[in-house]
């Protein structure tokens, strides 16, 4: 870089790396005895001060920008670490809380004699569970799955079982008094042998012919909620 100050030519180089600041060692020696020399010295000092200040300002700004960027990255990493546990899957999450399965793990469990009476268990998953003598009296079990479950001797009286799945389930000796099974499924080898079905509503429930025939032999009563006679819902002749 070349500077021309009042007829005095100054030449010096500024290397990009590392930064080189304008200092006295880069300037020619000037005598301060004459007024003109003192004027040159004052102008050169002012230029040096301005140059050093700009370099310092740029360096400081760069340092602050780097610090700010580092802080942002650190904060983002810290938040990610704190958030990590919320994205780790709970092994039982598919069957409890936060979804249609209620607050308890009920799939593939031994729930013999457990009391579910009066509870709202809409779409609850009881697949393959042992539910012998379990109490579901008055429970809301709309769309619940009892696929391949053992409901021997369970109390399902007054339960809302619309759309429930009893495929391959053992419902032998269960109490279905006044239960609403409208649209429920009972495909496969579902057994109702010995069950009490007084007042139960089987409207649009899928049943095999032999199942229907057996249920018609013991069907009686009228469902207090739908007003439908049990035999009529079974299409008994």
């Amino acid at each position: 870089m070349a500077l021309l100050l009042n007829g005095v030519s100054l030449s010096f180089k500024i290397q990009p790396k590392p930064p080189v600041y304008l200092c006295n060692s880069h300037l020619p020696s000037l005598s301060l005895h004459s007024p003109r020399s003192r004027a040159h010295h004052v102008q050169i000092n002012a230029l040096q001060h301005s140059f050093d200040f700009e370099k310092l300002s740029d360096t400081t700004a760069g340092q602050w920008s780097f610090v700010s960027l580092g802080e942002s990255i650190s904060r983002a990493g810290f938040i990610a670490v704190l958030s990590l546990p919320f994205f780790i899957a709970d092994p039982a999450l598919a069957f409890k809380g936060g979804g249609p399965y209620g607050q308890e793990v009920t799939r593939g469990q031994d729930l013999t004699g457990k009391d579910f009476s009066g509870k709202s268990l809409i779409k609850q998953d009881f697949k393959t569970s042992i539910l012998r003598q379990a109490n579901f009296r008055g429970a809301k079990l709309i769309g619940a799955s009892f696929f391949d479950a053992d409901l021997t001797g369970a109390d399902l009286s007054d339960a809302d079982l619309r759309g429930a799945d009893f495929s391959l389930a053992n419902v032998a000796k269960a109490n279905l008094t006044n239960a609403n099974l409208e649209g429920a499924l009972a495909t496969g080898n579902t057994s109702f042998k010995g069950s009490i079905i007084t007042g139960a509503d089987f409207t649009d429930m899928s049943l095999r012919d032999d199942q229907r025939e057996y249920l018609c032999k013991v069907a009686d009563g009228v469902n207090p909620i739908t007003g439908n006679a049990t035999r009529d819902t079974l299409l008994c002749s």
Side-chain angles (χ1 to χ4, degrees), residues 184-201:
L185 299 175
T187 58
N189 194 29
T190 303
S191 173
F192 292 97
K193 186 173 291 186
S195 294
I196 303 171
I197 62 170
T198 301
D201 191 332

Side-chain angles (χ1 to χ4, degrees), residues 110-116 130-135:
D110 186 349
L111 302 170
T112 300
K114 189 169 179 63
D115 187 5
F116 294 102
I130 300 173
L131 296 160
R132 295 184 179 185
Q133 289 81 48
N135 185 3

Side-chain angles (χ1 to χ4, degrees), residues 14-69:
I14 300 177
Q15 299 296 332
K17 292 184 179 180
V20 177
Y21 302 104
L22 185 63
C23 60
N24 290 335
S25 63
H26 295 91
L27 302 175
S29 299
L30 295 174
S31 174
L32 301 179
H33 296 298
S34 67
R36 180 166 182 167
S37 295
R38 285 197 295 272
H40 289 327
H41 183 72
V42 170
Q43 292 177 9
I44 291 170
N45 282 343
L47 176 62
Q48 176 184 349
H49 175 74
S50 174
F51 184 81
D52 288 347
F53 180 77
E54 290 176 358
K55 280 291 183 180
L56 178 60
S57 299
D58 292 344
T59 302
T60 304
Q63 290 175 343
W64 277 109
S65 297
F66 180 79
V67 170
S68 298
L69 177 60

Side-chain angles (χ1 to χ4, degrees), residues 12 44 80 82 92 111 117 145 154 164:
F12 53 91
I44 291 170
L82 288 180
L111 302 170
S117 60
S145 178

